[in-house]
Amino acid sequence: MNVFATRKLPEEVVEKLEQYVRYKEWHSAEQPMTKEQLLEAVKDAEGIISVLSDPLDAEVLAAAPNLKVISQLAVGFNNIDVEEATKRGIRVTNTPDVLTNATADLTFALLLAAARKLSAASQEVREGNWQSWSLLQLAGKELSGATIGILGFGRIGQAVARRAKGFDMDVIYWNRSKKPEAEQTIGATYHELEDVLKQADFLVIMLPFAPELKYLIGKEELALMKSDAILVNTARGGLVDEQALYEALKNGRLGAAGLDVFEQEPVPTDHPLLTLPNVEVAPHIGSSTIATRMEMADLTVRNLLAVLQNKEPETPVN
Ligand code: NAP
């Protein structure tokens, strides 16, 4: 069986794969493949290990006539044409659950960083602008007693809610389906989207990307929010209209933002959002702890091998 990975993987993962398959991988751990390189590389592949920047669309799937499985090294899979894969009898798998806690942690890290102006504080110390103690120096926003609104109350959304409870926050959420069990165990309440936007002191977006959710948060939605609210997006860039977010932040219609994801990744260094002091950013590292990334890699390999051995994968998408 020929397996191709679109990123260079750690040695121990490769060793595991090589016990079972003829393995090839892209030479870089960071640099993505172009579409042309992908089209060429997948020609004889029966299995692909993919990441979220690989455009696995109908054209790429058509270029891989022997393909049986796409094992995505991520929980989100909006880079894959799952409908087309299903039509072609190709199984798609992902890595849910194993990254839930790490991603919820990073979400909270960005939320706290934005609330307490951590980048500006760090800069002040490093640049020698720390003069003395002053009453309202870098005064931030309190979490305790504040309302956190979570859009998308699935695995990670609920893990964020559990963390919020530890900070004595009130948790409200919006999701396409209500989650009565989680409401009970966590102590959260469901509200319509508009109400969540109006009530939230902190808004966390934890939805998957889908075309119908593009720019879910745009100019009108931002206008409903409190002017000192903090928006955190660790889900997917396309869920928020970045131009509208920039204008709201610049014009004082929104307090601050914490962003791990962008519509274009890597985000261009001249992006207007990066000029704002009230924006905390990270390079899409939601799940990036050593333990979680190794678990994700393990699960990706187990899913891939299961399909190639005609068994049911642990975490199928289709
Ligand atoms: P999940 O458990 O599937 O949760 C997603 C939630 O969104 C579900 O509760 C789902 O509702 C809801 N939802 C889906 N489509 C919706 C729609 N059209 N309208 C309203 N609600 C909708 O997924 P997860 O594991 O929490 O991950 C969520 C997303 O986080 C991923 O898809 C990925 O894009 C992102 N993520 C980012 C990072 C990072 O590194 N920054 C890391 C991991 C994940 P139902 O329960 O009714 O299906």
Side-chain angles (χ1 to χ4, degrees):
M1 296 277 189
N2 295 312
V3 168
F4 182 77
T6 65
R7 281 293 193 289
K8 189 173 172 50
L9 296 175
E11 202 55 43
E12 52 264 56
V13 178
V14 173
E15 275 169 20
K16 224 174 275 173
L17 280 163
E18 282 179 336
Q19 291 174 26
Y20 301 96
V21 299
R22 264 189 305 277
Y23 178 72
K24 279 192 207 158
E25 66 182 11
W26 179 236
H27 61 77
S28 170
E30 292 97 28
Q31 225 17 57
M33 298 179 77
T34 63
K35 179 88 175 278
E36 286 61 41
Q37 287 163 335
L38 257 180
L39 286 168
E40 182 59 32
V42 300
K43 270 204 261 179
D44 62 353
E46 275 131 322
I48 295 177
I49 293 178
S50 57
V51 298
L52 46 88
S53 53
D54 301 323
L56 296 180
D57 57 15
E59 191 186 1
V60 175
L61 300 187
N66 304 328
L67 196 58
K68 294 185 169 63
V69 55
I70 298 169
S71 189
Q72 168 97 336
L73 218 171
V75 66
F77 47 83
N78 52 296
N79 58 305
I80 302 170
D81 187 338
V82 177
E83 204 180 314
E84 180 65 22
T86 307
K87 261 192 233 155
R88 290 178 172 272
I90 299 165
R91 295 301 298 272
V92 178
T93 64
N94 66 343
T95 63
D97 296 315
V98 294
L99 45 54
T100 294
N101 284 327
T103 309
D105 286 351
L106 195 272
T107 304
F108 238 81
L110 280 172
L111 186 151
L112 279 164
R116 301 303 298 273
K117 310 181 182 185
L118 222 50
S119 294
S122 172
Q123 209 175 338
E124 190 161 311
V125 175
R126 288 168 197 273
E127 292 178 358
N129 297 326
W130 180 17
Q131 314 235 314
S132 88
W133 189 92
S134 85
L135 186 64
L136 291 178
Q137 182 188 18
L138 290 160
K141 195 173 167 68
E142 189 98 7
L143 270 67
S144 177
T147 297
I148 183 170
I150 303 174
L151 308 184
F153 212 53
R155 289 170 291 245
I156 305 172
Q158 291 175 29
V160 169
R162 286 192 289 274
R163 281 154 181 74
K165 281 289 172 183
F167 282 83
D168 295 328
M169 301 175 87
D170 291 326
V171 180
I172 59 176
Y173 75 95
W174 172 78
N175 195 76
R176 67 179 166 194
S177 60
K178 292 188 184 174
K179 306 284 178 192
E181 215 182 295
E183 286 186 28
Q184 280 269 312
T185 53
I186 298 169
T189 49
Y190 174 89
H191 290 259
E192 293 302 327
L193 177 60
E194 206 178 295
D195 291 336
V196 174
L197 294 171
K198 283 181 184 161
Q199 289 181 43
D201 299 301
F202 295 88
L203 185 78
V204 168
I205 303 170
M206 230 44 267
L207 291 155
F209 181 81
E212 68 272 18
L213 293 175
K214 186 166 182 183
Y215 296 162
L216 176 75
I217 302 301
K219 192 176 172 183
E220 284 170 27
E221 291 73 22
L222 291 165
L224 294 174
M225 293 177 66
K226 294 181 183 176
S227 62
D228 64 344
I230 291 177
L231 177 149
V232 178
N233 186 9
T234 32
R236 283 290 182 271
L239 296 165
V240 177
D241 178 345
E242 289 173 355
Q243 183 60 33
L245 178 64
Y246 167 74
E247 279 160 23
L249 288 164
K250 186 161 175 61
N251 300 329
R253 282 187 283 102
L254 193 70
L259 306 170
D260 184 44
V261 291
F262 299 86
E263 197 163 7
Q264 186 189 334
E265 295 183 0
V267 62
T269 50
D270 62 354
H271 194 294
L273 279 169
L274 302 185
T275 65
L276 299 176
N278 49 348
V279 176
E280 299 283 338
V281 290
H284 204 141
I285 52 164
S287 63
S288 192
T289 66
I290 294 168
T292 288
R293 284 286 165 90
M294 292 313 291
E295 275 192 64
M296 288 165 67
D298 264 356
L299 178 56
T300 301
V301 169
R302 293 201 303 276
N303 277 332
L304 175 109
L305 292 177
V307 177
L308 293 180
Q309 293 164 355
N310 295 319
K311 296 181 200 149
E312 189 56 21
E314 288 168 49
T315 51
V317 168
N318 64 354

